[in-house]
Amino acid sequence: MNRFVKVLVLAAAVTALVGESAVAAPASPASAPAAAKCTKQWRVTGKKVAVRMPQNNQPVASPDSPVVRYLYRGDIVTSCVEAIARTQSGPAYRKCGRGGHVWRIVRGGQVPATCLERV
């Protein structure tokens, strides 16, 4: 108890000298920096590209995952996140004339990165 009182007196003295609380207060949510908004845009290069949703809560789609919607050549999509498909050997998919492992995450699902180009 005696030590606790000494610590409180010391904290009060530091507060009086510095003018700020010596006890660390949690940062308020208003002072936290806002999350950066995703602005990376990609143009679809394939003729008709499927947006696929991974099955059974898997993190990465596969070529036989269910199709949510289609994108067409020239469409612009926003994506800042990619999913990497791991395989034993060879590419995870062959789409838009090339094989690859990277899926771009877009609104509604995932698209093969080989079918997109950065705008």
Side-chain angles (χ1 to χ4, degrees):
M1 180 76 171
N2 193 17
R3 183 173 181 186
F4 178 71
V5 173
K6 287 181 183 179
V7 170
L8 281 179
V9 170
L10 181 63
V14 170
T15 301
L17 291 173
V18 176
E20 295 179 8
S21 176
V23 179
S28 65
S31 67
K37 185 176 179 181
C38 177
T39 58
K40 292 182 182 176
Q41 293 189 330
W42 302 80
R43 179 179 293 116
V44 177
T45 59
K47 187 174 180 181
K48 181 180 178 182
V49 180
V51 177
R52 297 183 179 274
M53 183 62 71
Q55 301 180 55
N56 304 325
N57 294 326
Q58 293 178 342
V60 183
S62 63
D64 60 346
S65 294
V67 175
V68 176
R69 64 187 175 112
Y70 290 98
L71 299 173
Y72 298 93
R73 181 179 290 139
D75 288 351
I76 304 293
V77 293
T78 302
S79 172
C80 288
V81 181
E82 57 187 26
I84 309 294
R86 302 291 183 197
T87 60
Q88 293 294 327
S89 64
Y93 61 81
R94 290 197 180 279
K95 302 291 179 191
C96 301
R98 294 177 293 198
H101 297 278
V102 180
W103 292 79
R104 298 293 314 181
I105 298 175
V106 299
R107 183 178 55 85
Q110 299 176 7
V111 177
T114 56
C115 299
L116 302 173
E117 69 178 3
R118 184 77 189 265
V119 175

